[in-house]
Protein backbone atom coordinates (compact mmCIF):
# COMPACT_ATOMS: atom_id res chain seq x y z
CA UNK A 1 0.00 0.00 0.00
CA UNK A 2 1.24 3.47 -0.90
CA UNK A 3 0.19 6.98 -0.09
CA UNK A 4 0.75 9.56 -2.81
CA UNK A 5 -0.08 13.23 -2.63
CA UNK A 6 -2.54 14.36 -5.23
CA UNK A 7 -2.17 17.89 -6.59
CA UNK A 8 -5.46 17.70 -8.48
CA UNK A 9 -7.47 16.91 -5.37
CA UNK A 10 -6.04 19.75 -3.32
CA UNK A 11 -3.72 20.02 -0.36
CA UNK A 12 -5.84 17.90 1.95
CA UNK A 13 -6.21 14.92 -0.34
CA UNK A 14 -4.06 11.88 -0.78
CA UNK A 15 -4.61 9.00 -3.16
CA UNK A 16 -4.60 5.61 -1.48
CA UNK A 17 -3.25 2.87 -3.70
CA UNK A 18 -3.74 -0.80 -3.10
CA UNK A 19 -1.55 -2.46 -5.73
CA UNK A 20 -3.28 -5.81 -5.27
CA UNK A 21 -6.68 -4.59 -6.40
CA UNK A 22 -6.93 -1.99 -9.16
CA UNK A 23 -10.59 -1.49 -8.43
CA UNK A 24 -9.81 -0.57 -4.84
CA UNK A 25 -8.01 2.69 -5.62
CA UNK A 26 -9.71 5.23 -3.46
CA UNK A 27 -9.18 8.61 -1.93
CA UNK A 28 -8.01 8.99 1.65
CA UNK A 29 -8.81 12.46 2.83
CA UNK A 30 -6.59 14.24 5.30
CA UNK A 31 -8.61 16.54 7.55
CA UNK A 32 -7.79 20.13 8.49
CA UNK A 33 -5.36 20.62 11.41
CA UNK A 34 -7.21 19.94 14.65
CA UNK A 35 -6.63 20.99 18.27
CA UNK A 36 -8.49 20.21 21.49
CA UNK A 37 -9.02 22.60 24.41
CA UNK A 38 -10.35 21.51 27.81
CA UNK A 39 -11.74 24.46 29.76
CA UNK A 40 -11.68 24.72 33.55
CA UNK A 41 -12.98 28.28 33.32
CA UNK A 42 -15.59 29.69 32.49
CA UNK A 43 -17.63 26.69 33.70
CA UNK A 44 -21.14 26.23 35.13
CA UNK A 45 -21.61 24.41 38.41
CA UNK A 46 -24.71 22.32 39.21
CA UNK A 47 -26.65 25.50 40.03
CA UNK A 48 -25.64 27.23 36.78
CA UNK A 49 -23.21 29.55 38.60
CA UNK A 50 -19.89 30.56 37.00
CA UNK A 51 -16.98 28.63 38.55
CA UNK A 52 -13.42 27.42 37.98
CA UNK A 53 -12.97 23.64 38.20
CA UNK A 54 -9.86 21.67 39.18
CA UNK A 55 -7.76 19.77 36.64
CA UNK A 56 -7.95 15.99 37.18
CA UNK A 57 -5.11 13.60 36.52
CA UNK A 58 -7.37 11.29 34.48
CA UNK A 59 -8.42 14.15 32.18
CA UNK A 60 -4.76 14.83 31.40
CA UNK A 61 -3.95 11.21 30.52
CA UNK A 62 -7.11 9.91 28.88
CA UNK A 63 -7.64 12.93 26.65
CA UNK A 64 -3.95 13.07 25.69
CA UNK A 65 -4.11 9.41 24.58
CA UNK A 66 -7.34 9.96 22.61
CA UNK A 67 -5.88 13.13 21.05
CA UNK A 68 -2.76 11.23 19.96
CA UNK A 69 -4.83 8.34 18.57
CA UNK A 70 -7.03 10.59 16.44
CA UNK A 71 -4.29 12.88 15.09
CA UNK A 72 -4.89 15.99 17.23
CA UNK A 73 -1.87 18.36 16.97
CA UNK A 74 -2.05 19.80 20.49
CA UNK A 75 -4.25 19.37 23.54
CA UNK A 76 -4.60 22.61 25.53
CA UNK A 77 -5.50 22.40 29.21
CA UNK A 78 -6.95 25.81 30.09
CA UNK A 79 -6.92 26.95 33.73
CA UNK A 80 -6.32 30.42 35.14
CA UNK A 81 -5.23 29.08 38.57
CA UNK A 82 -1.50 29.38 39.20
CA UNK A 83 -1.41 26.50 41.74
CA UNK A 84 -2.95 24.22 39.12
CA UNK A 85 -0.21 25.19 36.68
CA UNK A 86 2.39 24.16 39.24
CA UNK A 87 0.64 20.86 39.96
CA UNK A 88 -0.12 19.92 36.34
CA UNK A 89 3.33 21.15 35.32
CA UNK A 90 4.90 18.72 37.81
CA UNK A 91 2.78 15.82 36.50
CA UNK A 92 3.67 16.62 32.89
CA UNK A 93 7.33 17.05 33.87
CA UNK A 94 7.34 13.57 35.39
CA UNK A 95 6.02 12.02 32.18
CA UNK A 96 8.35 13.97 29.93
CA UNK A 97 11.62 12.61 31.27
CA UNK A 98 13.99 10.34 29.36
CA UNK A 99 13.17 7.54 31.80
CA UNK A 100 9.48 7.88 30.96
CA UNK A 101 10.23 7.95 27.22
CA UNK A 102 11.97 4.58 27.62
CA UNK A 103 9.64 2.93 30.10
CA UNK A 104 6.26 4.37 29.00
CA UNK A 105 6.76 5.37 25.33
CA UNK A 106 2.98 5.46 24.66
CA UNK A 107 2.34 7.83 27.54
CA UNK A 108 5.35 9.93 26.61
CA UNK A 109 4.15 10.26 23.03
CA UNK A 110 0.63 11.23 24.12
CA UNK A 111 1.63 13.70 26.86
CA UNK A 112 4.11 15.42 24.55
CA UNK A 113 1.14 17.08 22.88
CA UNK A 114 -0.34 18.53 26.07
CA UNK A 115 0.06 22.29 26.58
CA UNK A 116 -0.96 24.13 29.72
CA UNK A 117 -2.34 27.68 29.24
CA UNK A 118 -3.98 30.29 31.48
CA UNK A 119 -6.61 31.57 29.06
CA UNK A 120 -8.31 30.29 25.92
CA UNK A 121 -6.78 33.27 24.07
CA UNK A 122 -3.34 31.77 24.57
CA UNK A 123 -4.44 28.58 22.83
CA UNK A 124 -5.73 30.56 19.85
CA UNK A 125 -2.52 32.57 19.70
CA UNK A 126 -0.39 29.43 19.83
CA UNK A 127 -2.34 27.96 16.90
CA UNK A 128 -2.05 31.21 14.96
CA UNK A 129 1.67 31.30 15.62
CA UNK A 130 2.09 27.69 14.49
CA UNK A 131 0.02 27.82 11.30
CA UNK A 132 -0.45 31.50 10.47
CA UNK A 133 -4.25 31.18 10.61
CA UNK A 134 -6.77 31.76 13.38
CA UNK A 135 -8.71 28.60 14.29
CA UNK A 136 -12.40 27.96 13.88
CA UNK A 137 -13.70 27.58 17.46
CA UNK A 138 -16.06 24.62 17.78
CA UNK A 139 -18.16 24.21 20.91
CA UNK A 140 -19.22 20.78 22.16
CA UNK A 141 -22.17 20.61 24.54
CA UNK A 142 -24.35 17.83 25.95
CA UNK A 143 -27.42 20.09 25.65
CA UNK A 144 -29.13 20.62 22.30
CA UNK A 145 -28.27 24.16 21.12
CA UNK A 146 -29.58 26.09 18.09
CA UNK A 147 -27.65 25.83 14.82
CA UNK A 148 -25.74 22.72 15.89
CA UNK A 149 -24.08 20.84 13.06
CA UNK A 150 -24.11 17.03 12.71
CA UNK A 151 -20.91 14.98 12.91
CA UNK A 152 -21.20 13.64 9.38
CA UNK A 153 -21.67 17.14 7.95
CA UNK A 154 -18.76 18.59 9.88
CA UNK A 155 -16.55 15.63 9.01
CA UNK A 156 -17.20 16.37 5.33
CA UNK A 157 -16.29 20.02 5.83
CA UNK A 158 -13.01 19.14 7.48
CA UNK A 159 -11.80 17.03 4.56
CA UNK A 160 -12.99 19.40 1.84
CA UNK A 161 -10.22 20.03 -0.71
CA UNK A 162 -8.29 23.28 -0.12
CA UNK A 163 -9.55 23.59 3.46
CA UNK A 164 -6.57 24.69 5.54
CA UNK A 165 -8.19 26.64 8.40
CA UNK A 166 -7.39 24.91 11.70
CA UNK A 167 -10.06 23.83 14.15
CA UNK A 168 -10.09 23.89 17.92
CA UNK A 169 -12.67 21.62 19.54
CA UNK A 170 -13.61 23.02 22.95
CA UNK A 171 -14.75 20.74 25.79
CA UNK A 172 -16.04 21.73 29.21
CA UNK A 173 -15.68 20.30 32.71
CA UNK A 174 -18.09 20.61 35.66
CA UNK A 175 -21.66 21.06 34.44
CA UNK A 176 -20.52 22.42 31.07
CA UNK A 177 -19.14 25.58 29.48
CA UNK A 178 -20.65 28.87 30.67
CA UNK A 179 -22.70 31.01 28.29
CA UNK A 180 -20.12 33.75 28.79
CA UNK A 181 -17.85 31.76 26.45
CA UNK A 182 -20.36 31.79 23.56
CA UNK A 183 -19.06 34.99 21.87
CA UNK A 184 -15.86 32.99 21.13
CA UNK A 185 -17.75 30.25 19.30
CA UNK A 186 -17.99 29.88 15.50
CA UNK A 187 -19.62 26.46 15.30
CA UNK A 188 -21.55 24.13 17.61
CA UNK A 189 -21.51 20.33 17.40
CA UNK A 190 -24.67 18.36 18.18
CA UNK A 191 -24.83 16.40 21.47
CA UNK A 192 -23.75 12.74 21.44
CA UNK A 193 -26.75 10.43 21.64
CA UNK A 194 -27.16 6.69 22.07
CA UNK A 195 -29.30 4.39 19.92
CA UNK A 196 -32.58 6.07 20.85
CA UNK A 197 -31.40 9.49 19.65
CA UNK A 198 -32.63 12.75 21.14
CA UNK A 199 -35.74 11.05 22.56
CA UNK A 200 -33.63 8.54 24.51
CA UNK A 201 -32.87 11.16 27.12
CA UNK A 202 -29.68 10.07 28.87
CA UNK A 203 -26.54 11.73 27.57
CA UNK A 204 -24.25 12.14 30.55
CA UNK A 205 -20.96 10.87 29.22
CA UNK A 206 -17.81 11.76 31.14
CA UNK A 207 -15.76 14.42 29.34
CA UNK A 208 -13.10 11.75 28.73
CA UNK A 209 -15.65 9.53 26.96
CA UNK A 210 -17.18 12.48 25.07
CA UNK A 211 -13.79 13.59 23.71
CA UNK A 212 -13.06 10.04 22.51
CA UNK A 213 -16.43 9.61 20.81
CA UNK A 214 -16.38 13.04 19.15
CA UNK A 215 -12.82 12.63 17.85
CA UNK A 216 -13.76 9.20 16.52
CA UNK A 217 -16.89 10.55 14.81
CA UNK A 218 -14.87 13.31 13.13
CA UNK A 219 -11.56 11.55 12.47
CA UNK A 220 -11.94 7.80 13.14
CA UNK A 221 -11.00 5.35 10.44
CA UNK B 1 -42.41 11.86 15.72
CA UNK B 2 -43.74 8.43 16.54
CA UNK B 3 -42.25 5.01 16.99
CA UNK B 4 -44.36 2.07 15.90
CA UNK B 5 -43.45 -1.56 16.18
CA UNK B 6 -43.35 -3.38 12.88
CA UNK B 7 -44.35 -7.05 12.86
CA UNK B 8 -43.26 -7.48 9.24
CA UNK B 9 -39.72 -6.35 9.91
CA UNK B 10 -39.21 -8.66 12.86
CA UNK B 11 -38.82 -8.20 16.60
CA UNK B 12 -35.81 -5.91 16.36
CA UNK B 13 -37.30 -3.41 13.95
CA UNK B 14 -39.35 -0.31 14.55
CA UNK B 15 -40.76 2.05 11.94
CA UNK B 16 -39.84 5.66 12.47
CA UNK B 17 -42.53 8.07 11.31
CA UNK B 18 -41.99 11.73 10.67
CA UNK B 19 -45.46 13.11 10.03
CA UNK B 20 -44.05 16.28 8.48
CA UNK B 21 -42.30 14.55 5.61
CA UNK B 22 -43.84 11.48 4.03
CA UNK B 23 -40.67 10.79 2.12
CA UNK B 24 -38.74 10.61 5.36
CA UNK B 25 -40.38 7.43 6.67
CA UNK B 26 -37.49 5.19 7.56
CA UNK B 27 -36.62 2.24 9.66
CA UNK B 28 -35.03 2.64 13.07
CA UNK B 29 -33.43 -0.62 14.03
CA UNK B 30 -33.29 -1.79 17.62
CA UNK B 31 -30.16 -3.83 18.26
CA UNK B 32 -29.83 -7.13 20.11
CA UNK B 33 -29.54 -6.95 23.94
CA UNK B 34 -26.02 -5.87 24.84
CA UNK B 35 -23.88 -6.24 27.97
CA UNK B 36 -20.39 -5.05 28.83
CA UNK B 37 -17.81 -6.94 30.94
CA UNK B 38 -14.59 -5.37 32.22
CA UNK B 39 -12.03 -8.03 33.14
CA UNK B 40 -9.45 -7.63 35.91
CA UNK B 41 -8.41 -11.27 35.43
CA UNK B 42 -7.00 -12.97 33.31
CA UNK B 43 -4.91 -9.95 32.25
CA UNK B 44 -1.42 -9.49 30.76
CA UNK B 45 1.03 -7.16 32.43
CA UNK B 46 3.69 -5.20 30.50
CA UNK B 47 5.87 -8.31 30.29
CA UNK B 48 3.02 -10.50 29.01
CA UNK B 49 2.68 -12.29 32.36
CA UNK B 50 -0.75 -13.35 33.67
CA UNK B 51 -1.92 -10.97 36.44
CA UNK B 52 -4.98 -9.65 38.29
CA UNK B 53 -5.40 -5.86 38.10
CA UNK B 54 -7.09 -3.54 40.60
CA UNK B 55 -10.50 -1.97 39.93
CA UNK B 56 -10.24 1.82 39.53
CA UNK B 57 -12.92 4.25 40.62
CA UNK B 58 -12.86 6.02 37.24
CA UNK B 59 -13.48 2.74 35.37
CA UNK B 60 -16.62 2.20 37.46
CA UNK B 61 -18.06 5.66 36.77
CA UNK B 62 -17.00 6.43 33.21
CA UNK B 63 -17.94 3.04 31.81
CA UNK B 64 -21.26 3.00 33.70
CA UNK B 65 -22.15 6.38 32.17
CA UNK B 66 -21.14 5.29 28.66
CA UNK B 67 -23.06 2.02 29.11
CA UNK B 68 -26.20 3.89 30.15
CA UNK B 69 -25.85 6.36 27.25
CA UNK B 70 -25.57 3.61 24.63
CA UNK B 71 -28.31 1.34 25.95
CA UNK B 72 -26.20 -1.39 27.59
CA UNK B 73 -28.38 -3.54 29.89
CA UNK B 74 -25.75 -4.37 32.49
CA UNK B 75 -22.07 -3.58 33.05
CA UNK B 76 -20.24 -6.45 34.77
CA UNK B 77 -17.06 -5.67 36.69
CA UNK B 78 -15.17 -8.97 36.90
CA UNK B 79 -12.61 -9.46 39.68
CA UNK B 80 -11.83 -12.59 41.70
CA UNK B 81 -10.35 -10.62 44.62
CA UNK B 82 -12.57 -10.52 47.69
CA UNK B 83 -11.09 -7.26 49.04
CA UNK B 84 -11.94 -5.58 45.75
CA UNK B 85 -15.55 -6.75 46.08
CA UNK B 86 -15.73 -5.12 49.50
CA UNK B 87 -14.19 -1.87 48.25
CA UNK B 88 -16.19 -1.62 45.01
CA UNK B 89 -19.31 -2.75 46.86
CA UNK B 90 -18.87 0.17 49.28
CA UNK B 91 -18.45 2.65 46.40
CA UNK B 92 -21.54 1.30 44.62
CA UNK B 93 -23.48 1.32 47.90
CA UNK B 94 -22.68 4.98 48.37
CA UNK B 95 -24.03 5.87 44.92
CA UNK B 96 -27.15 3.73 45.28
CA UNK B 97 -28.67 5.56 48.26
CA UNK B 98 -31.86 7.63 48.14
CA UNK B 99 -29.77 10.73 48.81
CA UNK B 100 -27.68 9.98 45.74
CA UNK B 101 -30.79 9.34 43.63
CA UNK B 102 -31.98 12.85 44.52
CA UNK B 103 -28.71 14.72 44.39
CA UNK B 104 -26.95 12.85 41.55
CA UNK B 105 -29.76 11.28 39.49
CA UNK B 106 -27.51 10.80 36.42
CA UNK B 107 -24.89 8.91 38.42
CA UNK B 108 -27.56 6.91 40.20
CA UNK B 109 -29.14 5.87 36.92
CA UNK B 110 -25.78 4.87 35.43
CA UNK B 111 -24.45 2.98 38.46
CA UNK B 112 -27.71 1.06 38.84
CA UNK B 113 -26.58 -1.05 35.89
CA UNK B 114 -23.23 -2.05 37.40
CA UNK B 115 -22.89 -5.61 38.66
CA UNK B 116 -19.88 -6.98 40.50
CA UNK B 117 -18.96 -10.64 39.80
CA UNK B 118 -16.05 -12.92 40.70
CA UNK B 119 -15.73 -14.79 37.41
CA UNK B 120 -16.75 -14.17 33.80
CA UNK B 121 -18.92 -17.31 34.05
CA UNK B 122 -21.18 -15.52 36.51
CA UNK B 123 -21.80 -12.75 33.98
CA UNK B 124 -22.78 -15.30 31.34
CA UNK B 125 -25.06 -17.08 33.79
CA UNK B 126 -26.73 -13.81 34.80
CA UNK B 127 -27.44 -13.02 31.14
CA UNK B 128 -28.76 -16.52 30.53
CA UNK B 129 -30.99 -16.23 33.57
CA UNK B 130 -32.33 -12.85 32.44
CA UNK B 131 -33.00 -13.67 28.78
CA UNK B 132 -32.99 -17.45 28.51
CA UNK B 133 -30.18 -17.39 25.94
CA UNK B 134 -26.40 -17.66 26.25
CA UNK B 135 -24.60 -14.56 25.02
CA UNK B 136 -22.24 -14.25 22.10
CA UNK B 137 -18.87 -13.36 23.65
CA UNK B 138 -17.15 -10.55 21.76
CA UNK B 139 -13.51 -9.76 22.45
CA UNK B 140 -12.12 -6.25 22.01
CA UNK B 141 -8.36 -5.87 21.63
CA UNK B 142 -6.01 -3.06 20.66
CA UNK B 143 -3.86 -5.56 18.73
CA UNK B 144 -4.89 -6.77 15.27
CA UNK B 145 -6.07 -10.39 15.63
CA UNK B 146 -7.08 -12.89 12.94
CA UNK B 147 -10.75 -13.05 11.91
CA UNK B 148 -11.59 -9.69 13.44
CA UNK B 149 -14.87 -8.20 12.26
CA UNK B 150 -15.36 -4.52 11.33
CA UNK B 151 -17.66 -2.25 13.33
CA UNK B 152 -19.98 -1.54 10.42
CA UNK B 153 -20.38 -5.26 9.68
CA UNK B 154 -21.06 -6.16 13.29
CA UNK B 155 -23.45 -3.24 13.69
CA UNK B 156 -25.47 -4.66 10.77
CA UNK B 157 -25.52 -8.09 12.36
CA UNK B 158 -26.82 -6.72 15.64
CA UNK B 159 -29.85 -5.09 14.05
CA UNK B 160 -30.70 -7.96 11.71
CA UNK B 161 -34.41 -8.83 11.91
CA UNK B 162 -35.18 -11.74 14.24
CA UNK B 163 -31.80 -11.53 15.95
CA UNK B 164 -32.42 -12.04 19.65
CA UNK B 165 -29.17 -13.56 20.89
CA UNK B 166 -27.59 -11.26 23.48
CA UNK B 167 -24.04 -9.98 23.18
CA UNK B 168 -21.42 -9.39 25.84
CA UNK B 169 -18.59 -7.06 24.82
CA UNK B 170 -15.47 -7.92 26.81
CA UNK B 171 -12.85 -5.27 27.64
CA UNK B 172 -9.49 -5.74 29.33
CA UNK B 173 -7.46 -3.71 31.79
CA UNK B 174 -3.66 -3.66 32.28
CA UNK B 175 -1.89 -4.56 29.01
CA UNK B 176 -4.95 -6.41 27.67
CA UNK B 177 -6.81 -9.69 28.04
CA UNK B 178 -4.68 -12.82 28.40
CA UNK B 179 -4.69 -15.49 25.69
CA UNK B 180 -6.01 -17.92 28.29
CA UNK B 181 -9.39 -16.21 27.87
CA UNK B 182 -9.58 -16.92 24.11
CA UNK B 183 -11.47 -20.25 24.37
CA UNK B 184 -14.43 -18.19 25.70
CA UNK B 185 -14.49 -15.95 22.64
CA UNK B 186 -16.95 -16.24 19.73
CA UNK B 187 -16.16 -13.03 17.88
CA UNK B 188 -13.34 -10.47 17.78
CA UNK B 189 -13.77 -6.78 17.01
CA UNK B 190 -11.10 -4.93 15.04
CA UNK B 191 -8.85 -2.46 16.92
CA UNK B 192 -9.91 1.21 17.03
CA UNK B 193 -7.76 3.33 14.71
CA UNK B 194 -7.43 7.04 14.09
CA UNK B 195 -7.52 8.79 10.70
CA UNK B 196 -4.39 7.07 9.38
CA UNK B 197 -5.85 3.60 9.94
CA UNK B 198 -3.70 0.59 10.70
CA UNK B 199 -0.61 2.28 9.27
CA UNK B 200 -0.96 5.22 11.68
CA UNK B 201 0.49 3.15 14.46
CA UNK B 202 -0.68 4.73 17.73
CA UNK B 203 -3.73 3.07 19.25
CA UNK B 204 -3.32 3.34 22.99
CA UNK B 205 -6.70 4.58 24.10
CA UNK B 206 -7.59 4.26 27.78
CA UNK B 207 -10.12 1.47 28.36
CA UNK B 208 -12.65 4.18 29.31
CA UNK B 209 -12.17 5.87 25.93
CA UNK B 210 -12.17 2.55 24.04
CA UNK B 211 -15.47 1.46 25.61
CA UNK B 212 -17.08 4.80 24.67
CA UNK B 213 -15.84 4.68 21.05
CA UNK B 214 -16.77 1.04 20.53
CA UNK B 215 -20.28 1.46 21.99
CA UNK B 216 -20.75 4.54 19.81
CA UNK B 217 -19.57 2.70 16.68
CA UNK B 218 -21.99 -0.15 17.36
CA UNK B 219 -24.97 1.68 18.89
CA UNK B 220 -24.50 5.46 18.43
CA UNK B 221 -27.21 7.47 16.73
Amino acid sequence: MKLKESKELGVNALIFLNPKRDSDIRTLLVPAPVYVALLHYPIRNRHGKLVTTAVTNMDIHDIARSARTFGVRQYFIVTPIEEQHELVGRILGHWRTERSREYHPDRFEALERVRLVHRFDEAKEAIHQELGEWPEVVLTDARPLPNAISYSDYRKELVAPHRTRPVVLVFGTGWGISDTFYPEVHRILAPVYGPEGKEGGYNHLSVRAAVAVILDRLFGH
Side-chain angles (χ1 to χ4, degrees), chain A:
Chain A
M1 288 189 220
K2 224 172 82 181
L3 289 173
K4 204 183 89 176
E5 209 169 333
S6 161
K7 290 269 186 298
E8 306 85 59
L9 287 164
V11 286
N12 290 325
L14 293 169
I15 292 182
F16 180 81
L17 299 170
N18 184 338
K20 286 196 188 128
R21 280 194 291 174
D22 269 355
S23 62
D24 203 13
I25 292 177
R26 60 198 176 87
T27 308
L28 175 73
L29 296 162
V30 179
V34 64
Y35 297 81
V36 160
L38 183 68
L39 301 191
H40 298 83
Y41 178 88
I43 294 299
R44 284 178 287 122
N45 72 3
R46 66 161 59 235
H47 308 295
K49 251 189 82 181
L50 186 66
V51 293
T52 304
T53 55
V55 181
T56 74
N57 189 40
M58 206 60 94
D59 286 351
I60 304 173
H61 285 274
D62 277 22
I63 296 176
R65 291 161 73 182
S66 296
R68 175 65 188 85
T69 299
F70 292 106
V72 170
R73 294 172 78 98
Q74 279 195 81
Y75 160 33
F76 295 98
I77 297 178
V78 186
T79 172
I81 313 235
E82 202 47 56
E83 288 80 4
Q84 294 271 300
H85 277 252
E86 283 166 30
L87 177 70
V88 178
R90 268 207 303 279
I91 294 171
L92 291 176
H94 167 77
W95 288 98
R96 282 172 177 165
T97 56
E98 272 312 305
R99 193 179 175 282
S100 165
R101 185 205 285 269
E102 266 171 47
Y103 204 60
H104 291 286
D106 311 332
R107 294 295 176 111
F108 183 91
E109 221 183 302
L111 291 168
E112 235 181 5
R113 302 193 179 199
V114 179
R115 186 151 168 190
L116 197 54
V117 295
H118 289 82
R119 298 180 330 278
F120 182 66
D121 269 359
E122 285 175 52
K124 288 198 298 183
E125 278 154 24
I127 296 168
H128 183 257
Q129 204 154 32
E130 191 184 348
L131 300 175
E133 274 193 89
W134 293 100
E136 183 164 70
V137 177
V138 182
L139 182 75
T140 65
D141 204 301
R143 300 169 305 174
L145 292 171
N147 303 317
I149 187 167
S150 76
Y151 293 91
S152 56
D153 284 351
Y154 198 55
R155 187 176 170 119
K156 270 178 224 143
E157 272 191 36
L158 292 180
V159 293
H162 308 297
R163 156 123 202 179
T164 56
R165 189 177 182 193
V167 170
V168 55
L169 301 171
V170 185
F171 293 87
T173 50
W175 268 252
I177 295 169
S178 161
D179 301 8
T180 61
F181 185 77
Y182 289 2
E184 286 280 9
V185 173
H186 302 118
R187 309 295 292 273
I188 300 170
L189 279 171
V192 168
Y193 290 115
E196 295 135 337
K198 210 168 164 175
E199 285 73 27
Y202 193 98
N203 67 331
H204 302 283
L205 291 174
S206 71
V207 67
R208 298 164 290 283
V211 171
V213 167
I214 288 172
L215 289 177
D216 183 52
R217 287 187 177 193
L218 295 177
F219 307 105
H221 192 59

